[in-house]
Amino acid sequence: EVQLVESGGGLVQPGGSLRLSCAASGFTFSDYWMHWVRQAPGKGLVWVSRMNIDGSTTNYADSVKGRFTISRNNAKNTLYLQLNSLRAEDTAIYYCARCKNWECFDLWGQGALVTVSS
Amino acid sequence: QSALTQPASVSGSPGQSITISCTGTSSDVGGYDYVSWYQHHPGKAPKLIIYEVNDRPSGVPDRFFGSKSGNTASLTISGLQAEDEADYYCSSFTTRSSWVFGGGTKVTVL
């Protein structure tokens, strides 16, 4: 089955860290740019970051630049997002999604909930 | 990067047509033909319904139609059905090598 499955979410204190994972299956992971998109409670979708097929290019939203780091392991078909210096406003469901030839984003995971609270 | 502007809500009766607008700038919607639309039922993963302004992924019915004029993209849903009730988001690639989403539109089928 073609799918993306996020894991690693949870409750973390302000200033803390967390690493999200996104496991891909059923398709050639290394053919796709991969992205993270988040949705705060009751709010809309917000793009967070992207990485190209071999990991040599990354881009970030201004709101997370310098705090979040995207990475991937094509041998393990897995995308990661390291979240550091977390703030209350980072509380959201984090989705991973894929993109190829501008058909973006044609597959999404079910999301991982990150809650930043003391 | 400011979010693209969408109406908060749009409604229509079964069988009718509705149109959702998505307004950006020359740095995003107006600058590229890389505009996508997503259907999102709460609690589920978003679903791509339009990419590159007016292309439909396989399996998406032709009741969904995308277009663009200047800095504004539009999604038209014709023959509205009960299962079309959902949140709809547009997105666009930007000159900053990033993506930006619209604020979302809640579609209600009366």
Side-chain angles (χ1 to χ4, degrees):
Chain A
E1 181 183 0
V2 176
Q3 63 178 356
L4 296 169
V5 179
E6 301 93 339
S7 62
L11 175 64
V12 60
Q13 292 187 337
S17 297
L18 210 58
R19 188 176 83 155
L20 302 179
S21 298
C22 168
S25 59
F27 65 96
T28 305
F29 179 68
S30 57
D31 283 350
Y32 290 81
W33 285 65
M34 294 299 297
H35 300 245
W36 289 98
V37 176
R38 69 184 181 183
Q39 184 175 32
K43 303 294 185 180
L45 300 173
V46 175
W47 179 83
V48 173
S49 180
R50 71 168 183 167
M51 173 169 272
N52 71 337
I53 59 176
D54 64 6
S56 61
T57 297
T58 60
N59 299 101
Y60 297 91
D62 288 344
S63 58
V64 307
K65 199 171 297 184
R67 300 188 300 122
F68 291 8
T69 302
I70 190 172
S71 61
R72 66 191 295 163
N73 184 327
N74 287 343
K76 294 185 176 180
N77 293 329
T78 303
L79 176 74
Y80 304 98
L81 186 67
Q82 178 68 40
L83 295 72
N84 295 333
S85 303
L86 282 162
R87 308 165 180 167
E89 55 264 36
D90 295 318
T91 294
I93 298 172
Y94 286 74
Y95 297 98
C96 61
R98 73 178 191 180
C99 180
K100 182 180 180 182
N101 296 335
W102 299 108
E103 189 169 349
C104 308
F105 308 100
D106 73 323
L107 180 68
W108 298 64
Q110 288 294 323
L113 177 61
V114 172
T115 303
V116 184
S117 174
S118 55
Chain B
Q1 182 78 45
S2 298
L4 306 176
T5 300
Q6 297 182 232
S9 63
V10 173
S11 62
S13 300
Q16 287 188 330
S17 294
I18 61 169
T19 297
I20 303 168
S21 61
C22 169
T23 301
T25 69
S26 58
S27 296
D28 38 64
V29 175
Y32 301 96
D33 285 338
Y34 302 136
V35 176
S36 298
W37 289 89
Y38 311 89
Q39 178 189 65
H40 190 199
H41 290 100
K44 301 185 72 174
K47 175 186 176 183
L48 177 69
I49 54 174
I50 295 288
Y51 66 99
E52 290 190 68
V53 176
N54 55 17
D55 284 338
R56 282 185 303 276
S58 59
V60 175
D62 59 7
R63 302 188 295 105
F64 294 89
F65 176 78
S67 61
K68 192 186 86 166
S69 177
N71 295 337
T72 298
S74 299
L75 172 71
T76 298
I77 308 174
S78 59
L80 199 62
Q81 300 180 3
E83 60 260 36
D84 298 333
E85 186 160 296
D87 297 323
Y88 290 81
Y89 294 89
C90 60
S91 71
S92 173
F93 187 66
T94 83
T95 55
R96 300 182 67 184
S97 294
S98 64
W99 284 79
V100 61
F101 282 87
T105 299
K106 182 177 181 61
V107 168
T108 301
V109 180
L110 302 171

